[in-house]
Amino acid sequence: VLLGTLLGHDLPLTVTQMLWVNLIMDTFAAGALASLPPEERVMKLAPRDSSAFIITPSMRINILFVGPITGGDTLFHLRIGQDIFETKQIPYADYHSFTAYGAQYISQSWLSQLILFLIYKSTGFIGLQILRCLLVSGTFLLLFFTFKTPKKYLVLLLLTLIIPLAVVHNEIRPYLFSWFLSALLVFLLEKHIYKPIPIIFLFWVNLHAGFLLALGALFFYLLIEFKNTKKPYKTTTHSHQHTANQQRPS
């Protein structure tokens, strides 16, 4: 608007549109402040320095470290987790979306939402960031130790190239549990450790819907293993019969 006026062009926004922008920018913020419960400690706070910068040191930390890992979905999952914690039941309707208020909502990740809220309740966003780092680093460590190759530096190089993909999806959301559990499943299958797998799926079905893809991968993996173990069995049986025929007296 200012540049259009200085350059002599038509205004990019009409007066009505500018008023609408002001209403949108101010109304929601004022509504959020008005919805906060009254607190006596607010009246006891010391006056702020008028020359102080508007962004405080704590705000800088939140902007740099909390902002990149927090999005609308993260806050939504935290709110659903809070509902589960307070009501002791899984919600079946969405009462937190403006455009779909009261619509049917099936929480497929209720356990991860509850875990995220409990961590946030006890440690704040710092605890959620630590959880994200543990899940992502644990995923890549499991993949690193899963590959059966003496050339570990090649595996390390491959994982280094994949890491930027994790940076793109940097929000704290339930799919992080599927990342870690997928890598854990591949690790257990490669090491032929099968007993913990049912317990993993028992939790996975309540953490994230990614367990459906894991079931398909598990089926194909077991099918390949069955074919690989079936061929040596035939060869062994044939060799056993051949040896028996040679030892049979004429």
Side-chain angles (χ1 to χ4, degrees):
V1 176
L2 178 61
L3 290 177
T5 304
L6 295 177
L7 297 176
H9 294 283
D10 295 334
L11 295 179
L13 297 175
T14 63
V15 176
T16 305
Q17 291 171 336
M18 287 187 288
L19 178 61
W20 174 252
V21 171
N22 290 332
L23 289 174
I24 293 298
M25 295 296 294
D26 297 337
T27 303
F28 290 104
L33 293 175
S35 62
L36 294 176
E39 296 183 6
E40 295 182 358
R41 66 179 183 88
V42 176
M43 301 302 297
K44 299 179 181 179
L45 295 176
R48 299 181 182 180
D49 187 3
S50 59
S51 61
F53 191 59
I54 190 173
I55 300 179
T56 62
S58 60
M59 292 174 62
R60 295 192 190 100
I61 295 176
N62 291 329
I63 293 173
L64 294 175
F65 299 101
V66 179
I69 63 172
T70 306
D73 287 339
T74 302
L75 301 178
F76 178 79
H77 290 303
L78 290 177
R79 190 64 178 86
I80 296 298
Q82 182 180 359
D83 291 343
I84 297 173
F85 177 77
E86 294 177 350
T87 61
K88 305 298 187 297
Q89 61 182 2
I90 302 174
Y92 294 97
D94 182 7
Y95 295 107
H96 305 293
S97 297
F98 177 76
T99 57
Y101 183 84
Q104 183 180 7
Y105 169 72
I106 300 176
S107 180
Q108 302 174 348
S109 309
W110 70 268
L111 184 56
S112 60
Q113 291 168 339
L114 179 60
I115 293 174
L116 293 178
F117 171 73
L118 292 177
I119 294 176
Y120 171 76
K121 186 174 183 295
S122 58
T123 61
F125 282 108
I126 300 300
L128 293 177
Q129 188 176 18
I130 293 174
L131 174 66
R132 175 183 175 272
C133 294
L134 291 176
L135 290 175
V136 174
S137 59
T139 299
F140 286 106
L141 283 176
L142 285 172
L143 292 176
F144 177 76
F145 290 111
T146 298
F147 287 96
K148 297 179 179 179
T149 173
K151 299 180 180 180
K152 287 293 185 180
Y153 64 90
L154 294 178
V155 179
L156 183 61
L157 177 60
L158 177 62
L159 294 178
T160 304
L161 296 176
I162 298 177
I163 286 177
L165 297 178
V167 177
V168 174
H169 301 279
N170 58 359
E171 292 186 11
I172 300 175
R173 295 172 59 182
Y175 64 72
L176 293 178
F177 291 97
S178 282
W179 283 12
F180 177 78
L181 293 177
S182 299
L184 180 60
L185 177 64
V186 174
F187 176 81
L188 294 176
L189 291 174
E190 286 293 332
K191 302 299 181 181
H192 302 285
I193 304 174
Y194 304 118
K195 289 184 179 181
I197 292 179
I199 301 176
I200 292 175
F201 274 96
L202 180 63
F203 288 95
W204 200 344
V205 295
N206 298 304
L207 287 170
H208 188 251
F211 78 93
L212 295 172
L213 297 177
L215 286 176
L218 179 63
F219 172 77
F220 285 108
Y221 187 93
L222 295 178
L223 183 63
I224 294 174
E225 286 294 315
F226 175 75
K227 290 183 178 180
N228 292 337
T229 55
K230 192 174 181 180
K231 293 180 180 179
Y233 175 78
K234 289 183 177 181
T235 304
T236 305
T237 305
H238 178 73
S239 302
H240 179 72
Q241 292 178 353
H242 181 70
T243 304
N245 292 332
Q246 288 183 345
Q247 294 178 354
R248 184 179 301 172
S250 56

